[in-house]
């Protein structure tokens, strides 16, 4: 029986689940905060065009305005200066949008330390327990941060500035240069830790991964519903010509 026929049958029978990894996109969706001297991303805004009324008696529709990196979103290589000249989001090969994933769970350590950084040793320990990382796959970092749904909770400003978990600079370089992965996915507002502005280099996940032509997924939810290995992520950005990224509707296929 053809593979796709098997997949459709498994979805229908419920032996393959579809898990929504996407945060709701609304005017309350948390967005990245930069220092005031930099340009700021727009919060999501919905503008009603008509709703079964004089403006359009039989139809309801809206205009919307938002940033490319608002809510659950995809980072294309051109998003960062190290990826300048590499793919915009419209040129990313569609194969990248359907990829295997592993889930590294560090929720217990983040609960103790919201500044927790994932190190290469943590990934190596995962590999020792669960087997090799998938070629062209995602490393999804489960931190529990998606439980923070307000702007204040997500950014978590302290006396040292934004405070949230992420990858160390060394680990970001390793994923970019030494791993078979195509990118990382996180629950935080962006792919870097809150304090990454002071790392060397600054924002190493952006710098190393996008500079290597790899990708990022941010503001994922429901990673607790995925197994450590075996899930397939489907994350399809809008094909924005010349865009640096896009909001996505990300789902995972999980075989029960």
């Amino acid at each position: 029986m053809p593979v796709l026929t098997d997949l459709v049958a498994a979805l229908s029978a419920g032996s393959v689940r579809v898990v929504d990894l996407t945060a709701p996109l609304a005017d309350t969706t948390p967005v990245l905060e930069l220092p005031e001297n930099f340009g700021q991303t727009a919060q999501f805004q919905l503008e009603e065009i008509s709703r079964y009324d004089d403006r359009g008696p039989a139809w309801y529709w809206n205009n919307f305005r938002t940033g490319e990196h608002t809510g659950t979103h995809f980072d294309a290589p051109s998003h960062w200066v190290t990826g300048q000249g590499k793919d915009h989001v419209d040129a990313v090969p569609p194969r990248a949008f359907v990829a295997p994933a592993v889930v590294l769970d560090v929720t217990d350590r983040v609960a103790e330390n919201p500044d927790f950084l994932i190190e290469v040793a943590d990934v190596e320990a995962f590999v020792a327990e669960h087997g090799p990382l998938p070629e062209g796959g995602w490393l999804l970092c489960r931190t529990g941060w998606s439980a923070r749904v307000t702007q204040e909770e997500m950014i978590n400003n302290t006396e040292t500035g934004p405070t949230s978990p992420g990858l160390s600079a060394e680990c970001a370089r390793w994923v970019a240069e030494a791993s078979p992965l195509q990118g990382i996915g996180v629950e935080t507002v962006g792919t870097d830790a809150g304090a990454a502005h002071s790392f060397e280099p600054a924002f190493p996940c952006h710098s190393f991964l996008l500079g290597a032509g790899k990708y990022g997924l941010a503001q994922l939810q429901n990673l607790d519903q995925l197994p450590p290995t075996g899930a397939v992520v489907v994350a399809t950005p809008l094909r924005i010509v010349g865009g640096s990224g896009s909001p996505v509707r990300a789902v995972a296929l999980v075989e029960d």
Side-chain angles (χ1 to χ4, degrees):
M1 187 179 292
V3 173
L4 291 180
T5 302
D6 287 347
L7 174 59
V8 171
L11 288 166
S12 180
S15 57
V16 171
R17 285 184 292 122
V18 180
V19 179
D20 198 345
L21 307 181
T22 314
L25 191 54
D27 58 6
T28 56
T29 300
V31 296
L32 186 69
E33 295 179 5
L34 296 178
E36 292 182 0
N37 55 306
F38 294 120
Q40 305 294 322
T41 191
Q43 289 185 303
F44 183 82
Q45 296 177 336
L46 204 62
E47 176 194 19
E48 186 175 279
I49 302 172
S50 68
R51 194 179 185 108
Y52 329 120
D53 54 26
D54 291 343
R55 300 168 298 170
W59 52 91
Y60 165 56
W61 59 340
N62 303 286
N63 292 318
F64 67 85
R65 178 178 185 267
T66 193
E68 295 172 325
H69 301 268
T70 297
T72 304
H73 63 270
F74 183 97
D75 289 352
S78 67
H79 176 45
W80 210 249
V81 64
T82 52
Q84 190 173 10
K86 297 186 183 296
D87 281 349
H88 296 310
V89 71
D90 59 302
V92 173
R95 173 66 184 84
F97 307 146
V98 183
V102 297
V103 181
L104 176 60
D105 185 354
V106 294
T107 52
D108 55 344
R109 285 176 280 183
V110 172
E112 295 177 356
N113 174 20
D115 262 335
F116 177 77
L117 298 179
I118 296 170
E119 301 288 354
V120 175
D122 297 310
V123 184
E124 290 175 337
F126 179 92
V127 170
E129 180 177 358
H130 297 287
L133 299 172
E135 188 76 33
W138 294 104
L139 173 65
L140 305 183
C141 304
R142 183 185 166 204
T143 59
W145 212 256
S146 61
R148 297 167 175 257
V149 297
T150 69
Q151 182 73 22
E152 293 74 18
E153 291 171 333
M154 178 66 75
I155 303 302
N156 194 35
N157 276 311
T158 66
E159 59 272 9
T160 59
T163 303
S164 59
L167 270 61
S168 71
E170 179 186 6
C171 190
R173 181 191 288 273
W174 183 87
V175 171
E177 299 177 359
S179 86
L181 299 163
Q182 71 166 3
I184 64 167
V186 301
E187 297 179 64
T188 46
V189 72
T191 56
D192 272 294
H197 54 81
S198 61
F199 291 3
E200 181 55 46
F203 305 104
C205 289
H206 285 79
S207 182
F208 288 132
L209 271 74
L210 303 184
K214 295 189 174 185
Y215 315 114
L217 288 173
Q219 289 196 56
L220 298 173
Q221 295 193 343
N222 297 324
L223 296 186
D224 59 317
Q225 298 184 31
L226 308 187
T229 65
V232 173
V233 168
V234 181
T236 53
L238 299 173
R239 197 174 185 184
I240 302 170
V241 175
S244 70
S246 167
V248 297
R249 184 68 181 261
V251 301
L253 304 181
V254 178
E255 186 174 4
D256 290 328

